[in-house]
């Protein structure tokens, strides 16, 4: 069983089902027994706490009924390591430490190792028994205060460890800080942790903005100023900024003001200008917010090396001017323009944005975002990420249409690459389409031997060939795929797209999971708004046995690019993660979503068949195996290893194979 007390009460049976108790008091009794540990509780004491005002006999009867309710939740096949022991005076819950989140949390804290601290941070989903223990402060209050102190010490300890940006430890620290602030915006230790994280990433502006948010929350809620430790962090950041501005030569200052990355060899990259957003609220204080969103969008877009992004200084010359987007396109020599507005309505903000083809004035995409004014900085980050996630595939689609309309004799490397994308990104089940995409990507490489993302995409075609059992000369194709993938990460060390695809190929085809995860982590450091990187990170996490984090990363990929033509791939990654976590019903649900857009997606079909079989639904499992065998008659248990992911935990691979064996896959 798994018992979670952080953020509420949740009990999961060994079969992965949520346990529901007959009464709220039974759930609270279980929580009290978990917290008391092996020493147990006095029956009289717990009866008075949970059933005050009742006669002694009546309260003891209620206690007995609640204990019976709890026992019913235990497996009745004798496999459980959890049981209730007691006598006339006391009662105790006997359980293994790995069955409750608070026990694992305490054990991980004791080691003091960074990796263990990161695990502890992710276990803290919120205040102990959040929202469940009203009226029982005298009983549960000391425990809640104790674990809250531990969480605050943990977030400080992790942030002071200065883990590498993009590492699991840094990400866990950031998530913990955000959860603490969601519960209490005046949690100064969490603000300090985020200030350190932003500063360590080199984002001094974000760090100083976090300090201002901290100061505003403390003044509003507590009427106090930040502590000396927090003030000193901000002072150090300001001194660093001043020193950089004071000593930097003119050439460096100029380069800092330009948002675009170093040019690629392709001169015909799609170009984008983000115009200042209009402040429609009539509130001058929202001007900084509107400008901040634009700056964040420009910075985020500039991380996509296939885009040419006009720097802030140029696009802001149009501030407070009524302009025609076609004119902007001509003056800045860009193909696409992003414009938007900010409006305040009471205590809420509404942000609207749209992407326009500057050559025609056509609107390619538009959306709006709403949020509370109190969360202004969080909303700014959310909006920037959402807009970037929506814009980049739309720009890519428009560029593909341009490339498709060009006569073949005038195509350059980038045009071949775009044509390859048009074929590849819309299918995982057509052998002819994958062969054509591979041909086009190799043509791009022929025209430009240093085109990193062309190598990466070509290598990715071999993944589809392997997954579907289409490889003819397996040894030769594996060698070629690994050559292309290594070339992609070698040439594209600063290209998040090349690292994401190249890393994934190294993991799936070569089984080099650690290198795969490392390259993808680097991609996320370079571009945290790249949906592809989050999607492939999900796959890597699932293969490494980190199923919960894999689900989170896939969710981020889908949120960043909800209309992505490869959405089915991230749905499959979610299914794979749930399978590895033993959540077979969820695995089936997500894999079925993937099949809605790609009905013959073999990877999703294998997960469905194995999950149904392991959940005892052999009829449905056999139906899926029959469909799978229609597509690939040569697939057998004997050659299954040729297509399966390289699971790090032997149990994950064994369960996968056993599930397909039960489903009827022949030897």
């Amino acid at each position: 069983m798994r018992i979670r007390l952080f953020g509420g009460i949740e009990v999961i049976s060994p079969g992965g089902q949520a346990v529901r108790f007959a009464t709220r008091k039974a759930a609270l009794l279980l929580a009290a027994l978990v917290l008391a540990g092996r020493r147990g509780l006095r029956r009289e004491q717990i009866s008075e706490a949970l059933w005050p005002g009742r006669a002694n006999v009546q309260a003891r009867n209620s206690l007995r009924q609640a204990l019976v309710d709890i026992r019913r939740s235990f497996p009745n096949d004798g496999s459980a390591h959890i049981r209730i022991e007691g006598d006339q005076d006391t009662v105790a819950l006997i359980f293994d430490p790995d069955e409750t989140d608070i026990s694992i949390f305490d054990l991980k804290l004791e080691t003091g190792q960074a990796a263990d601290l990161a695990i502890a941070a992710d276990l803290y989903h919120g205040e102990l028994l959040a929202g469940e223990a009203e009226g029982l402060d005298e009983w549960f209050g000391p425990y809640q205060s104790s674990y809250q102190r531990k969480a605050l010490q943990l977030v400080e300890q992790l942030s002071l460890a200065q883990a590498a940006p993009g590492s699991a430890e840094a990400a866990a620290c950031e998530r913990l800080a955000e959860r603490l602030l969601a519960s209490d915006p005046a949690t100064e230790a969490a603000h300090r942790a985020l200030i350190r994280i932003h500063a360590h990433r080199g984002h001094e502006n974000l760090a100083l903005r976090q300090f201002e948010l901290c100061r505003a929350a403390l003044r509003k809620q507590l009427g106090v100023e930040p502590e000396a430790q927090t003030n000193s962090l901000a002072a150090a950041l300001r001194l660093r900024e001043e020193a950089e501005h004071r000593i930097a030569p003119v050439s460096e200052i100029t380069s800092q003001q330009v948002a675009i990355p170093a040019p690629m060899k392709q001169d015909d990259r799609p170009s984008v200008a983000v115009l200042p957003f209009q402040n429609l609220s009539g509130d001058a204080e929202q001007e900084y917010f509107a400008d901040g969103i634009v700056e964040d969008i420009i910075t985020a877009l500039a991380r996509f090396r296939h885009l040419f992004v006009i720097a802030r200084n140029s696009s802001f010359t149009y501030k407070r001017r009524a302009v025609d987007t076609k004119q902007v396109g001509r003056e800045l020599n860009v193909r696409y323009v992003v414009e938007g507005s900010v409006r305040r309505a009471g205590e809420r903000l509404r942000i609207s944005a749209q992407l326009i083809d500057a050559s025609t004035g056509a609107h390619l995409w538009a959306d709006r975002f709403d949020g509370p004014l109190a969360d202004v900085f969080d909303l700014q980050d959310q909006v920037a990420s959402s807009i970037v996630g929506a814009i980049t595939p739309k720009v890519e689609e428009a560029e593909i249409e341009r490339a498709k309309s060009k006569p073949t004799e005038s195509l350059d490397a980038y045009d071949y690459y775009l044509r390859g994308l048009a074929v590849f990104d819309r299918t995982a089940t057509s052998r002819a389409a994958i062969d054509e995409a591979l041909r086009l990507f190799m043509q791009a490489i022929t025209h430009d031997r240093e085109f990193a993302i062309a190598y990466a995409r070509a290598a990715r075609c071999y993944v589809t060939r392997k997954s579907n059992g289409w490889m003819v000369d397996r040894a030769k194709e594996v060698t070629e795929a690994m050559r292309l993938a290594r070339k992609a990460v070698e040439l594209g060390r600063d290209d998040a797209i090349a690292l994401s695809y190249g890393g994934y190929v190294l993991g799936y085809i070569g089984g080099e999971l650690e290198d795969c995860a490392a390259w993808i982590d680097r991609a996320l450091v370079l571009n945290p708004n790249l949906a592809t990187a989050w999607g492939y990170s999900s796959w890597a996490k699932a293969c490494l046995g980190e199923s919960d984090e894999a689900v989170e990363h896939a969710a981020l990929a889908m949120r960043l690019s909800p209309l992505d033509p490869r959405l089915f791939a991230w749905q499959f990654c979610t299914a794979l993660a749930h399978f590895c976590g033993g959540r077979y019903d969820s695995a089936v649900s997500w894999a079925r979503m993937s099949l809605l857009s790609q009905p013959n997606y073999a990877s999703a079909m294998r997960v469905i068949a194995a999950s149904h079989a392991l959940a005892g639904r052999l009829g449905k499992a056999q139906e899926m195996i029959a469909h799978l065998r229609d597509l690939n008659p040569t697939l057998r248990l004997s050659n299954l290893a040729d297509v399966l992911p390289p699971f790090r935990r032997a149990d994950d691979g064994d369960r996968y194979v056993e599930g397909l064996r039960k489903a009827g896959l022949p030897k």
Side-chain angles (χ1 to χ4, degrees):
M1 294 185 71
R2 296 199 303 275
I3 303 172
R4 179 175 66 81
L5 301 185
F6 287 129
I9 301 176
E10 182 182 57
V11 182
I12 304 296
S13 72
Q17 305 299 315
V19 173
R20 299 282 181 259
F21 295 104
T23 66
R24 170 175 168 269
K25 293 293 179 68
L28 289 171
L29 173 59
L30 177 65
L33 290 170
V34 170
L35 291 166
R38 286 181 173 267
R39 72 177 185 276
L41 299 168
R42 289 176 53 241
R43 290 177 182 266
E44 181 180 0
Q45 186 182 23
I46 191 65
S47 297
E48 291 177 355
L50 291 178
W51 294 277
R54 294 189 183 182
N56 184 46
V57 174
Q58 190 180 11
R60 279 183 170 257
N61 283 336
S62 297
L63 174 61
R64 263 193 301 273
Q65 291 171 8
L67 289 171
V68 169
D69 191 16
I70 293 172
R71 283 193 178 98
R72 284 200 192 101
S73 69
F74 300 161
N76 54 16
D77 59 1
S79 63
H81 297 156
I82 185 169
R83 64 188 184 279
I84 292 175
E85 293 183 353
D87 52 31
Q88 288 187 340
D89 295 323
T90 62
V91 61
L93 186 71
I94 309 302
F95 56 90
D96 287 345
D98 62 357
E99 291 185 299
T100 71
D101 59 350
I102 62 166
S103 299
I104 302 172
F105 181 84
D106 287 333
L107 288 171
K108 297 300 181 183
L109 283 187
E110 286 176 11
T111 72
Q113 299 295 317
D116 286 338
L117 295 179
I119 293 172
D122 281 336
L123 285 171
Y124 191 85
H125 291 170
E127 183 186 31
L128 187 79
L129 304 176
E132 302 285 352
E134 293 180 11
L136 294 168
D137 292 346
E138 186 175 345
W139 185 271
F140 291 110
Y143 292 109
Q144 291 174 322
S145 298
S146 173
Y147 279 103
Q148 186 175 33
R149 282 195 301 274
K150 290 179 181 180
L152 294 178
Q153 292 165 0
L154 173 59
V155 79
E156 287 269 24
Q157 190 174 354
L158 270 175
S159 67
L160 288 167
Q162 294 293 300
S167 67
E169 291 82 3
C173 181
E174 186 171 14
R175 289 192 294 268
L176 174 58
E178 289 171 348
R179 284 194 294 272
L180 289 168
L181 290 174
S183 175
D184 179 5
T187 305
E188 195 164 354
H191 283 292
R192 276 198 297 271
L194 291 176
I195 291 170
R196 293 188 186 105
I197 288 170
H198 291 318
H200 195 45
R201 291 172 177 165
H203 301 162
E204 283 83 2
N205 287 339
L206 287 178
L208 288 170
R209 187 186 303 165
Q210 190 68 45
F211 171 75
E212 294 299 332
L213 189 60
C214 171
R215 182 162 61 181
L218 290 171
R219 287 175 176 175
K220 180 178 180 180
Q221 296 197 21
L222 304 175
V224 298
E225 293 296 317
E227 296 172 358
Q229 186 180 359
T230 313
N231 282 321
S232 65
L233 278 175
L237 286 166
R238 293 191 183 101
L239 283 173
R240 189 191 308 177
E241 275 197 333
E242 291 172 5
E244 288 174 355
H245 287 123
R246 188 166 53 249
I247 64 175
V250 173
S251 61
E252 290 185 17
I253 293 174
T254 302
S255 67
Q256 289 170 9
Q257 292 174 341
V258 178
I260 59 173
M264 300 194 309
K265 287 180 73 70
Q266 292 72 31
D267 295 324
D268 199 28
R269 285 184 296 167
S271 46
V272 184
V274 187
L275 299 183
F277 280 22
Q278 294 181 357
N279 175 16
L280 303 179
S281 62
D283 181 359
E285 292 184 4
Q286 299 311 314
E287 198 76 23
Y288 77 93
F289 175 72
D291 290 350
I293 284 182
V294 173
E295 290 181 12
D296 282 356
I297 294 171
I298 290 173
T299 301
L301 284 174
R303 290 174 174 159
F304 291 86
R305 290 176 60 84
H306 65 287
L307 295 179
F308 184 95
V309 186
I310 296 298
R312 176 194 187 281
N313 289 358
S314 295
S315 60
F316 267 63
T317 59
Y318 295 91
K319 191 174 176 67
R320 297 190 182 89
R321 287 171 53 188
V323 293
D324 175 70
T325 52
K326 292 182 181 179
Q327 177 186 347
V328 172
R330 289 192 299 271
E331 292 177 354
L332 296 180
N333 194 26
V334 294
R335 294 183 194 164
Y336 306 99
V337 171
V338 179
E339 61 180 19
S341 63
V342 176
R343 183 189 300 275
R344 176 176 178 175
E347 292 304 310
R348 296 188 67 78
L349 281 172
R350 168 166 291 179
I351 301 97
S352 300
Q354 50 195 352
L355 175 68
I356 300 167
D357 185 327
S359 62
T360 64
H363 286 61
L364 303 177
W365 167 86
D367 206 347
R368 70 183 187 192
F369 308 85
D370 295 286
L373 188 61
D375 300 335
V376 63
F377 294 121
D378 289 341
L379 186 62
Q380 179 173 324
D381 294 339
Q382 173 201 331
V383 170
S385 295
S386 298
I387 290 175
V388 170
I391 285 174
T392 47
K394 284 296 181 183
V395 169
E396 195 169 77
E397 286 178 17
E399 288 298 295
I400 286 171
E401 291 305 313
R402 286 177 186 271
K404 287 163 68 175
S405 66
K406 279 189 175 183
T408 304
E409 60 272 12
S410 66
L411 295 179
D412 59 17
Y414 194 56
D415 292 322
Y416 277 112
Y417 170 75
L418 289 172
R419 287 191 172 197
L421 283 190
V423 176
F424 179 86
D425 269 352
R426 282 154 180 80
T427 184
T429 59
S430 168
R431 185 170 185 171
I434 297 302
D435 289 347
E436 175 63 7
L438 177 58
R439 184 190 70 80
L440 289 165
F441 291 137
M442 295 306 293
Q443 282 275 24
I445 293 170
T446 300
H447 282 70
D448 181 358
R449 294 292 180 182
E450 296 182 8
F451 198 174
I453 51 177
Y455 283 98
R457 291 281 198 163
R460 176 62 181 82
C461 290
Y462 285 99
V463 167
T464 305
R465 291 179 60 79
K466 173 183 173 177
S467 178
N468 286 283
W470 296 338
M471 284 186 167
V472 178
D473 185 337
R474 179 177 171 77
K476 181 179 179 181
E477 292 190 46
V478 166
T479 299
E480 175 65 1
M482 295 297 284
R483 181 189 74 82
L484 292 167
R486 294 193 196 287
K487 195 71 173 176
V489 297
E490 175 191 333
L491 293 172
R493 290 186 62 86
D494 295 319
D495 187 321
I497 294 176
L499 295 179
S500 299
Y501 281 94
Y504 173 54
V505 174
L506 294 175
Y508 181 60
I509 290 185
E512 300 175 3
L513 279 180
E514 281 75 14
D515 286 351
C516 161
W519 288 121
I520 294 171
D521 284 346
R522 177 171 174 79
L524 287 169
V525 171
L526 292 168
N527 189 349
N529 294 305
L530 183 60
T532 297
W534 286 111
Y536 285 141
S537 176
S538 169
W539 178 87
K541 296 292 184 186
C543 291
L544 289 167
E546 302 169 24
S547 61
D548 290 343
E549 195 164 356
V551 171
E552 289 180 9
H553 287 200
L556 270 170
M558 290 183 282
R559 188 162 71 241
L560 280 169
S561 189
L563 302 177
D564 200 301
R566 301 288 296 182
L567 193 66
F568 67 89
W570 317 141
Q571 291 166 338
F572 163 72
C573 288
T574 308
L576 183 65
H578 281 302
F579 177 88
C580 293
R583 299 180 289 272
Y584 302 126
D585 290 347
S586 296
V588 169
S589 296
W590 280 97
R592 283 199 175 283
M593 279 188 252
S594 182
L595 289 182
L596 290 176
S597 60
Q598 297 290 323
N600 295 329
Y601 189 14
S603 297
M605 294 166 70
R606 289 193 293 267
V607 167
I608 291 174
S611 298
H612 274 319
L614 294 176
R617 298 182 288 268
L618 292 181
K620 292 183 177 179
Q622 289 164 357
E623 288 178 13
M624 188 55 68
I625 282 293
H627 189 185
L628 187 60
R629 293 266 296 153
D630 286 341
L631 295 173
N632 185 2
T634 64
L635 184 64
R636 285 170 168 70
L637 290 172
S638 58
N639 60 19
L640 189 58
D642 292 347
V643 299
L644 291 190
F647 296 114
R648 181 47 39 87
R649 298 187 307 191
D651 177 63
D652 291 338
D654 292 345
R655 284 187 295 114
Y656 206 134
V657 173
E658 176 63 12
L660 293 176
R661 185 193 68 77
K662 286 185 174 182
L665 188 65
K667 291 182 180 180

